[in-house]
């Protein structure tokens, strides 16, 4: 997901390399206080309680990880973890890793990641469209060589993803607790959903290394992306699994409605459903 434990920390927290058992010597850490401002809030990755800082930087490069006042555990143990370990934990959909990435790091690649994932999905749809309409007529090859088909697939993939997000946001808006002290942060949720859709990047390898099990791989990728979205919703809004699952199902319902509408317009949408139906297991 493009995360890093030490490199992805928000400004003002310094480098935590070399932290062990709460204290340690570091190289290149400025000997300045790191008390966070009141507006800069972090989250404990264990209990989701707010924290003003992740660690305290004493003079002479001595660091001490902050202990959560609620659960008495380190606020964020991942600040001393290697980015590869954090990525593995995120792939395993651990809530602690998601809280670290969403709340305690500064990642500004949501838009780029979204565009790249849509390009991957558009390429898969374009490839499927070309493969299912093979023709010996040279004019047909020229027609499919045009960029318009790929752009059309990109637009359709964008519409379907937008419909998926609208379904999620609509459900969460309707079902939000009326007595909640804080309104759901839908901006943060949108960023979380975009980041958690990184599994779509696996669509390209699944197509490049074409195999008899490609349709099964595509299904597994879809399930993985939905699972990541489910965990992102649960962690971001701190809601139970039932509401998160219903939000995902609502998104899928609106997305399916969009696919049906596009098919009624006689557009070759190249959707996942059409892909799976056209393949022989």
């Amino acid at each position: 997901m493009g995360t890093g434990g030490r490199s992805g920390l928000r400004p003002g927290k310094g480098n935590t390399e070399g932290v062990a058992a709460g204290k340690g010597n570091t190289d290149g850490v400025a000997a300045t206080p790191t008390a966070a401002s009141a507006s800069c809030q972090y989250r404990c990755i264990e209990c989701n309680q707010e924290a003003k800082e992740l660690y305290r930087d004493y003079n002479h490069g001595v660091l001490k990880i902050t202990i959560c006042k609620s659960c008495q555990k380190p606020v964020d143990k991942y600040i001393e973890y290697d980015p590869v370990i954090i990525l593995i934990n995120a792939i395993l959909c651990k809530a602690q890793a998601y809280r670290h990435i969403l709340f305690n790091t500064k990642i500004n690649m949501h838009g780029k990641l979204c565009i790249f994932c849509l390009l991957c999905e558009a390429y898969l749809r374009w490839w499927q469209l070309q493969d299912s309409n093979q023709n010996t007529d040279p004019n047909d090859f020229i027609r499919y060589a045009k960029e318009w088909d790929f752009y059309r697939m990109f637009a359709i993939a964008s519409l379907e993803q937008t419909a998926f997000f609208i379904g999620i946001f609509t459900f969460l808006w309707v079902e939000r607790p009326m007595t909640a002290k804080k309104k759901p942060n839908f901006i943060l949720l949108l960023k979380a959903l975009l980041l958690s859709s990184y599994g779509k990047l696996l669509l390209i390898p699944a197509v490049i290394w074409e195999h008899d099990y490609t349709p099964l791989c595509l299904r597994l990728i879809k399930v993985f992306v939905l699972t990541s979205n489910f965990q992102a919703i649960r962690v971001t809004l701190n809601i139970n699994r039932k509401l998160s699952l219903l939000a995902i199902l609502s998104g899928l319902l609106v997305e399916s409605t969009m696919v049906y509408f596009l098919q009624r317009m006689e557009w070759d949408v190249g959707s996942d459903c059409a892909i799976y139906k056209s393949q022989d297991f």
Side-chain angles (χ1 to χ4, degrees), residues 93 98 164-165 168 193 196-200 218-234 244-245 247-253 255 272 276:
C93 292
Y98 272 76
F164 177 68
F165 289 165
I168 291 176
L193 288 172
S196 61
S197 299
Y198 68 97
K200 292 182 179 180
L218 298 179
R219 288 183 180 273
L220 293 176
I221 291 172
K222 181 69 173 180
V223 171
F224 174 72
V225 172
L226 292 177
T227 303
S228 299
N229 293 153
F230 164 84
Q231 191 71 302
I233 295 172
R234 191 171 74 88
S244 300
L245 179 59
I248 292 295
L249 293 178
S250 299
L252 288 175
L253 178 62
E255 180 183 3
D272 293 337
Y276 299 144

Side-chain angles (χ1 to χ4, degrees), residues 186-198:
F186 287 127
I187 299 298
L188 180 60
L189 178 59
L190 177 60
K191 294 180 179 180
L193 288 172
L194 293 177
L195 283 177
S196 61
S197 299
Y198 68 97

Side-chain angles (χ1 to χ4, degrees), residues 230-247:
F230 164 84
Q231 191 71 302
I233 295 172
R234 191 171 74 88
V235 168
T236 304
L237 301 182
N238 196 27
I239 59 178
N240 56 49
R241 291 182 174 86
K242 180 180 178 180
L243 286 178
S244 300
L245 179 59
L246 290 176

Side-chain angles (χ1 to χ4, degrees), residues 58-78:
Y58 298 94
N59 290 332
H60 309 295
V62 179
L63 304 178
K64 183 178 181 181
I65 297 178
T66 303
I67 302 299
C68 178
K69 296 180 180 179
S70 177
C71 63
Q72 300 303 315
K73 294 181 179 180
V75 171
D76 193 344
K77 63 182 180 180
Y78 285 112

Side-chain angles (χ1 to χ4, degrees), residues 100-144:
H100 166 78
I101 295 169
L102 297 176
F103 300 122
N104 300 337
T105 60
K106 186 178 181 181
I107 300 178
N108 295 317
M109 55 178 295
H110 312 87
K112 295 179 181 178
L113 182 61
C114 176
I115 295 298
F116 196 72
C117 288
L118 288 175
L119 287 174
C120 293
E121 192 168 354
Y123 173 77
L124 174 64
R125 292 164 183 252
W126 177 82
W127 167 80
Q128 177 63 27
L129 183 65
Q130 186 179 21
D131 184 68
S132 62
N133 291 277
Q134 290 181 356
N135 197 315
T136 56
D137 185 2
N139 294 327
D140 190 65
F141 287 111
I142 294 175
R143 181 168 66 89
Y144 279 109

